């Protein structure tokens, strides 16, 4: 492609605090200010909606579409569609045979609201699988932006996965875009190594702390002679004030502190700083679908991940 830094901002449009509440305050109240910031900064990105989020918030989908940003898909109800990396209370992973139906139904719901077929997907929590990727391929998706680099630690650039193992390179048409992590730091989290990840540093410790991870990743990639692609993931609920606990149904949910820390104005401010810092590096910002087209044209299977 070139030696520039390529950035893909992805927003997972889901219920507040992920699977832990039934509310859509983030989708309802953060879409407009995020789109406005994108317009002011002159950048574009991709907003991945669960089917339910799209159906319940058509005005949010329409705003993203009219602004020139991309509308993608993010499962049906923020369920675990792929391989579970760690247990989530009350969230039971789909069986592999259930996956094609759920992804097809999520696609249909988003398409009903959007007025066109979405072509970019991201799994909740970045938990994809071979069943997911094959289902997306069958539906002619162009992108799955789900690969969690902090966990698998094998693929550092976008790649076309194998139909036998989604974490390996193969001949599927869909492009897998890894979400970057710090591959140089020494992890203190054996096995999972989640402390390598990018999220949620931009708000818990600030944009400059996240930029240290960015700088580390850029140096890592350039030392290998590989193109630099920075795929980020955020959530709309991070940009509104979040309650410390929620009561609904028959229980009270108290999210871990890192999920709620500095949500709201602080997150929005740090996000703006992050964009400016990346612009200072000369980064180019892309929608996921547009990036996939450019990547496929430039490389077409001519590059290896390592």
């Amino acid at each position: 492609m070139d030696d520039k830094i390529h950035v893909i901002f992805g927003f997972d449009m889901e219920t507040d605090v992920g699977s832990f509440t039934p509310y859509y305050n983030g989708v309802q109240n953060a879409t407009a200010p995020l789109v406005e910031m994108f317009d002011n900064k002159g950048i574009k990105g991709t907003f991945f909606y669960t089917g339910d989020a799209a159906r319940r918030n058509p005005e949010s989908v329409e705003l993203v579409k009219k602004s020139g940003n991309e509308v993608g898909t993010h499962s049906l109800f923020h369920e675990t569609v792929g391989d579970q990396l760690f247990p989530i209370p009350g969230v039971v992973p789909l069986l592999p045979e259930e996956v094609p139906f759920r992804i097809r139904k999520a696609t249909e719901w988003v398409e009903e609201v959007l007025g066109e077929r979405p072509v970019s997907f991201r799994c909740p929590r970045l938990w994809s699988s071979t069943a997911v990727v094959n289902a997306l391929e069958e539906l002619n998706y162009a992108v799955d932006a789900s690969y969690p680099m902090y966990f698998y630690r094998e693929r550092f650039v976008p790649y076309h996965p194998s139909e036998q193992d989604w974490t390996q390179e193969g001949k599927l048409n869909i492009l897998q875009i890894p979400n970057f992590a710090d591959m140089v730091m020494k992890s203190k989290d054996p096995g999972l190594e989640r402390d390598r990840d990018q999220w949620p540093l931009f708000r818990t410790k600030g944009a400059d702390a996240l930029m240290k991870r960015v700088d580390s990743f850029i140096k890592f990639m350039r030392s290998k002679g590989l193109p630099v692609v920075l795929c980020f993931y955020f959530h709309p609920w991070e940009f509104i004030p979040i309650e410390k606990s929620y009561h609904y149904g028959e229980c009270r949910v108290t999210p871990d502190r890192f999920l709620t820390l500095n949500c709201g104005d602080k997150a929005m401010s740090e996000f703006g700083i992050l964009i400016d810092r990346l612009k200072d590096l000369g980064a180019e910002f892309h929608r996921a679908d547009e990036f996939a087209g450019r990547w496929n044209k430039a490389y077409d299977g001519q590059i290896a991940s390592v």
Side-chain angles (χ1 to χ4, degrees), residues 128 133 142-147 157-161 166 174-178:
S128 194
V133 168
V143 173
D144 178 26
S146 299
Y147 185 96
V157 298
Y159 65 99
H160 294 280
W166 79 283
I174 193 168
L175 186 69
Q176 185 64 233
I177 304 180

Side-chain angles (χ1 to χ4, degrees), residues 35 39 43-44 47 62-70:
V35 166
D39 288 344
I43 67 174
K44 301 297 181 186
F47 293 70
E62 184 65 17
L63 180 58
V64 170
K65 179 181 179 180
K66 284 186 174 181
S67 68
N69 291 287
E70 182 187 13

Side-chain angles (χ1 to χ4, degrees), residues 85-241:
L85 301 188
F86 53 86
I88 300 292
V91 180
V92 179
L94 297 182
L95 298 173
E97 55 266 36
E98 298 177 284
V99 169
F101 171 80
R102 279 297 187 111
I103 291 181
R104 184 173 68 252
K105 185 59 65 175
T107 303
E108 291 172 358
W109 285 16
V110 172
E111 183 178 7
E112 287 172 5
V113 179
L114 179 61
E116 59 189 60
R117 178 65 68 94
V119 298
S120 296
F121 190 91
R122 175 176 280 154
C123 292
R125 296 185 176 86
L126 311 183
W127 295 354
S128 194
S129 68
T130 301
V132 167
V133 168
N134 285 331
L136 295 174
E137 179 84 357
E138 187 69 22
L139 292 168
N140 295 316
Y141 272 87
V143 173
D144 178 26
S146 299
Y147 185 96
M149 195 181 297
Y150 77 84
F151 181 78
Y152 292 106
R153 305 184 289 279
E154 291 184 345
R155 308 292 157 210
F156 309 128
V157 298
Y159 65 99
H160 294 280
S162 164
E163 63 180 337
Q164 282 81 38
D165 182 349
W166 79 283
T167 67
Q168 303 301 311
E169 295 185 64
K171 297 181 179 180
L172 294 180
N173 292 317
I174 193 168
L175 186 69
Q176 185 64 233
I177 304 180
N179 294 268
F180 89 94
D182 187 340
M183 300 310 301
V184 176
M185 66 173 284
K186 185 175 181 180
S187 175
K188 298 180 181 178
D189 180 20
L192 191 60
E193 298 196 13
R194 198 176 182 188
D195 54 355
R196 292 183 182 273
D197 198 20
Q198 57 183 269
W199 185 80
L201 286 179
F202 85 100
R203 61 173 169 81
T204 57
K205 294 187 177 180
D208 289 333
L210 178 52
M211 284 303 300
K212 291 181 180 179
R213 298 284 173 95
V214 169
D215 292 339
S216 176
F217 183 68
I218 292 172
K219 291 177 182 177
F220 173 78
M221 295 299 282
R222 287 183 170 162
S223 72
K224 292 179 172 291
L226 294 172
V228 179
V229 180
L230 295 166
C231 187
F232 292 83
Y233 64 105
F234 308 97
H235 313 84
W237 50 266
E238 296 182 86
F239 300 93
I240 64 169

Side-chain angles (χ1 to χ4, degrees), residues 16-59:
D16 299 337
V17 202
S19 301
F20 301 119
T21 82
Y23 311 120
Y24 284 111
N25 291 317
V27 174
Q28 293 163 3
N29 297 306
T31 304
L34 286 169
V35 166
E36 182 179 8
M37 179 176 286
F38 273 35
D39 288 344
N40 291 339
K41 302 286 188 182
I43 67 174
K44 301 297 181 186
T46 297
F47 293 70
F48 299 94
Y49 286 78
T50 66
D52 188 62
R55 271 193 162 183
R56 293 177 182 270
N57 302 279
E59 67 290 339

Side-chain angles (χ1 to χ4, degrees), residues 160 169 295-296 298-304:
H160 294 280
E169 295 185 64
W295 180 272
N296 291 337
Y299 291 115
D300 193 24
Q302 299 176 18
I303 188 170

